[in-house]
């Protein structure tokens, strides 16, 4: 999600670059179109001048001197003059709008009987015919005067314009992208249950309005969460006192009522007290606890000792010791919830395994219970969600896994519930191996 602004910026820069290249190309084509006629007119006028000068010079010379004059005129300014033969095969002019326009201008000045050719006999240049009496001649103007060289300098100036435009576009896009990045990071932290700092409300009007609306939303959510926490904490705290009195009264009842009835009532009161305790755990939160570099195996061994003393069978298969940043009390609560849940809904034996992979520590709590319908697995990670028929119709508040999932996300990890092929459920906790986690 955080890569989105960079991707958007890259796409915007690429789109701007493509549009600039298209604009530069279109500008060159438009300039070439409007510059074509003046250039063709200038070249045609040059050719007509050379032909008229050559023809006038040959007309003014005596017939016996024409061959010598032709030899003398050839080579001046690169212009060459050849005698023409009516049986020569004249190639068609190339498909070039500039050359076609030059040929039309030359025929307009010298007459339609004038022949215009390019690269005749393999000799490069513009060939223009003229006639003196019964004799036909060619005037060849070097190609360097006919063709316009490729405007390499235009490419340089065009590239400079594109670079400057891209630099300006990058600065503008970066200015827009910066508040968008802050907004996305804040939304991501809010999604994970954290409280991000307020966004700046200065800058562009549209982005300022968005940041102002987001800040108002954060404040409204914080007030709602605070009121909910206060309500649940108050109700839970107020219920525990009458429950304690009720339990004391039940224990003082005469034995004539029967031990099974008394024990059942005491168990019901204990279950209600446990539910209230989960309410308090859920609303209390764990965000304020600082992180410490702790070996998760140590937490598992302490939980193992507690369950062993209670007469429960628990199997540990632990990976080598590896210190990671954890909130000790929060992680102890998470592991306790997963293991207690496995004992509650599974059989009398629970296995806990840890393994280290590239960049993560994976902890699996395995039971041999009935499992969960695949379509309902995601529901169990939400608060107050229970699937009684799937896991033994046991009592509870539906907060244990929700608390575990919140703590996992607080540690930049995630919790998965997976049905085992051999039967039972695997609660898989995946934690990243990082140097530190923000408090």
């Amino acid at each position: 999600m955080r890569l989105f602004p960079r991707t958007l910026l890259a796409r915007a820069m690429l789109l701007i670059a493509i549009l600039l290249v298209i604009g530069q190309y279109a500008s060159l084509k438009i300039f070439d179109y409007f510059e074509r006629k003046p250039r063709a007119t200038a070249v045609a006028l040059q050719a007509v001048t050379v032909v008229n000068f050559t023809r006038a010079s040959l007309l003014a010379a005596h017939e016996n001197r024409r061959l010598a004059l032709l030899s003398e005129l050839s080579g001046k300014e690169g212009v060459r003059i050849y005698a023409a033969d009516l049986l020569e095969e004249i190639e068609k002019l190339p498909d070039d709008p500039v050359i076609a326009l030059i040929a039309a201008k030359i025929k307009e000045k010298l007459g339609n009987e004038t022949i215009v050719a390019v690269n005749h006999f393999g000799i490069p240049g513009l060939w223009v015919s003229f006639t003196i009496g019964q004799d036909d001649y060619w005037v060849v103007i070097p190609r360097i005067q006919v063709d316009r060289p490729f405007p390499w300098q235009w490419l340089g100036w065009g590239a400079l314009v594109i670079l400057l435009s891209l630099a300006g576009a990058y600065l503008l896009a970066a200015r827009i992208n910066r508040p968008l990045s802050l907004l996305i990071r804040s939304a991501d932290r809010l999604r994970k249950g954290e409280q991000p700092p307020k966004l700046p409300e200065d800058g562009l009007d549209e982005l300022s309005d968005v940041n102002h609306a987001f800040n108002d939303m954060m404040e409204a959510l914080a007030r709602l969460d605070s009121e909910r926490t206060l309500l649940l904490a108050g109700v839970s705290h107020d219920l525990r006192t009458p429950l304690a009195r009720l339990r004391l009264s039940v224990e003082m009842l005469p034995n004539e009522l029967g031990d099974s009835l008394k024990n059942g009532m005491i168990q019901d009161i204990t279950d209600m007290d446990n539910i209230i305790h989960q309410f308090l755990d859920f609303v209390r939160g764990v965000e304020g606890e600082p992180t410490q570099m702790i070996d998760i195996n140590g937490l598992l061994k302490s939980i193992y000792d507690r369950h062993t003393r209670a007469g429960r069978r628990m199997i540990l298969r632990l990976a080598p010791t590896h210190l990671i940043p954890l909130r000790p009390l929060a992680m102890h609560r998470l592991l306790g919830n997963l293991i207690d849940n496995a004992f509650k809904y599974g059989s009398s034996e629970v296995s806990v395994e840890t393994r280290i992979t590239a960049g993560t520590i994976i902890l699996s709590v395995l039971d041999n219970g009935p499992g969960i319908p695949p379509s309902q697995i995601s529901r169990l990670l939400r608060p107050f969600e229970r699937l009684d028929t799937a896991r033994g119709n046991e009592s509870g508040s539906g907060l244990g896994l929700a608390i575990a999932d919140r703590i996992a996300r607080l540690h930049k990890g995630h919790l998965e519930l997976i049905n085992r092929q051999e039967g039972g459920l695997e609660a898989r906790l995946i934690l990243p191996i990082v140097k530190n986690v923000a408090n």
Side-chain angles (χ1 to χ4, degrees), residues 129-199:
S129 70
F130 67 93
T131 302
I132 298 179
Q134 300 298 321
D135 299 325
D136 295 319
Y137 298 94
W138 288 108
V139 171
V140 184
I141 302 173
R143 194 169 181 80
I144 192 173
Q145 299 182 26
V146 177
D147 290 342
R148 182 186 65 177
F150 187 82
W152 293 103
Q153 68 277 9
W154 284 24
L155 290 182
W157 286 110
L160 179 61
V161 169
I162 291 176
L163 290 177
L164 291 176
S165 300
L166 286 177
Y170 177 82
L171 294 176
L172 181 61
R175 186 166 181 259
I176 298 175
N177 180 62
R178 191 177 301 111
L180 286 178
S181 299
L182 291 175
L183 178 61
I184 290 174
R185 284 196 293 269
S186 297
D188 191 44
R189 292 185 60 182
L190 192 63
R191 178 180 62 86
K192 294 178 179 179
E194 303 175 8
Q195 184 66 25
K198 293 185 64 175
L199 296 175

Side-chain angles (χ1 to χ4, degrees), residues 60 77 131 141 170 188 214 299 308 310 323 333 354 356 369 383 389 432:
E77 301 297 331
T131 302
I141 302 173
Y170 177 82
D188 191 44
F214 185 83
L299 296 178
T308 300
L323 297 178
R333 186 182 306 168
T354 61
I356 298 176
T389 59

Side-chain angles (χ1 to χ4, degrees), residues 196-360:
K198 293 185 64 175
L199 296 175
E201 298 182 7
D202 53 349
L204 300 176
D205 292 340
E206 293 80 3
L207 294 176
S208 177
D209 292 342
V210 171
N211 288 352
H212 179 72
F214 185 83
N215 290 336
D216 289 345
M217 181 191 69
M218 283 198 306
E219 292 177 358
L221 290 175
R223 287 194 303 268
L224 180 62
D225 186 66
S226 176
E227 292 171 358
R228 182 198 64 176
T229 300
L230 182 61
L231 175 63
L232 287 176
V235 171
S236 301
H237 180 271
D238 291 342
L239 285 176
R240 300 190 81 173
T241 300
L243 278 177
R245 291 198 303 265
L246 182 60
R247 177 166 184 169
L248 181 60
S249 298
V250 169
E251 290 179 347
M252 295 178 64
L253 289 174
N255 295 330
E256 287 78 5
L257 293 176
D259 292 339
S260 60
L261 180 58
K262 287 182 59 176
N263 292 337
M265 295 173 65
I266 292 173
Q267 184 60 47
D268 290 340
I269 295 173
T270 302
D271 290 342
M272 286 188 286
D273 189 66
N274 290 335
I275 292 174
I276 293 173
H277 183 70
Q278 283 193 334
F279 282 161
L280 292 176
D281 282 345
F282 185 75
V283 300
R284 188 181 298 122
V286 294
E287 288 79 4
E289 184 185 4
T291 60
Q292 303 176 29
M293 299 303 294
I294 295 176
D295 176 24
I296 198 170
N297 290 349
L299 296 178
L300 288 172
K301 290 176 182 177
S302 67
I303 297 175
Y304 171 82
D305 293 338
R306 176 168 62 86
H307 285 284
T308 300
R309 289 192 299 268
R312 292 176 174 175
R313 179 173 171 77
M314 181 173 170
I315 301 174
L316 291 182
R317 300 184 186 92
L318 304 181
T321 298
H322 197 294
L323 297 178
I324 57 174
L326 300 174
R327 291 174 166 87
L329 295 179
M331 186 55 60
H332 194 279
R333 186 182 306 168
L334 184 156
L335 299 176
N337 283 355
L338 294 183
I339 296 173
D340 289 342
N341 197 67
F343 275 116
K344 182 177 182 180
Y345 294 109
S347 63
S348 59
E349 180 180 290
V350 171
S351 299
V352 179
E353 301 175 355
T354 61
R355 63 184 185 274
I356 298 176
T357 63
T360 61

Side-chain angles (χ1 to χ4, degrees), residues 2 10 30 50 98 128 158 172 181 278 316 342 387 410:
R2 294 181 180 178
I30 292 172
V50 172
V98 177
V128 182
L172 181 61
S181 299
Q278 283 193 334
L316 291 182
L387 298 176
L410 187 64

